[in-house]
Amino acid sequence: MDKLQHKRAQELKTVTEMIGIYCRDIHKTDGINLCSECQELLDYVEKRVAACPRMEEKTFCSACNTHCFAPNRRERIRMIMRYSGPKMIFHSPILALKHKLTEWFAI
């Protein structure tokens, strides 16, 4: 797996975990099998990450100049990340640490 593919996979893994946390807590699912609304959003995110023209140079979508998400979906994912972000350290500490290190050091 090359660096770009690894970066895409890591980003998807993080977003999948965050959506799972949100869906489990808010929509009362098991966090693995998402509700239809959260699954639809995850499918959308997967398509957008796969088609991202700036994946090599950006750290995260929030720091990118090109917004690939439609405004309503961008706001939805922001809401999910605000909710799930603080909980990541308890649910997936290694993933949370990798995410923070990438943010701080742009690795």
Side-chain angles (χ1 to χ4, degrees):
M1 180 182 295
D2 70 3
K3 185 178 178 180
L4 185 58
Q5 287 176 320
H6 181 271
K7 194 172 179 183
R8 286 183 201 276
Q10 194 67 29
E11 190 161 325
L12 281 175
K13 191 174 181 181
T14 303
V15 171
T16 300
E17 183 69 25
M18 293 178 106
I19 291 174
I21 292 168
Y22 179 85
C23 192
R24 186 194 68 237
D25 290 358
I26 302 301
H27 299 142
K28 306 302 182 207
T29 63
D30 62 11
I32 296 168
N33 300 306
L34 303 174
C35 71
S36 59
E37 182 182 332
C38 290
Q39 184 61 55
E40 185 271 329
L41 180 63
L42 180 59
D43 294 342
Y44 179 79
V45 170
E46 288 174 350
K47 288 177 191 169
R48 300 309 335 157
V49 168
C52 178
R54 300 198 185 272
M55 184 59 72
E56 279 189 66
E57 59 202 52
K58 71 178 180 112
T59 52
F60 300 111
C61 293
S62 60
C64 187
N65 293 330
T66 304
H67 293 295
C68 298
F69 288 24
N72 62 330
R73 294 191 184 186
R74 187 173 34 204
E75 188 52 41
R76 179 105 175 107
I77 201 72
R78 276 188 196 138
M79 180 185 68
I80 289 171
M81 289 184 172
R82 275 192 302 264
Y83 178 85
S84 301
K87 296 171 178 2
M88 283 287 289
I89 196 71
F90 302 109
H91 293 276
S92 198
I94 293 173
L95 200 56
L97 182 60
K98 283 181 181 179
H99 184 74
K100 273 298 172 195
L101 289 173
T102 301
E103 182 181 9
W104 290 336
F105 300 108
I107 56 176

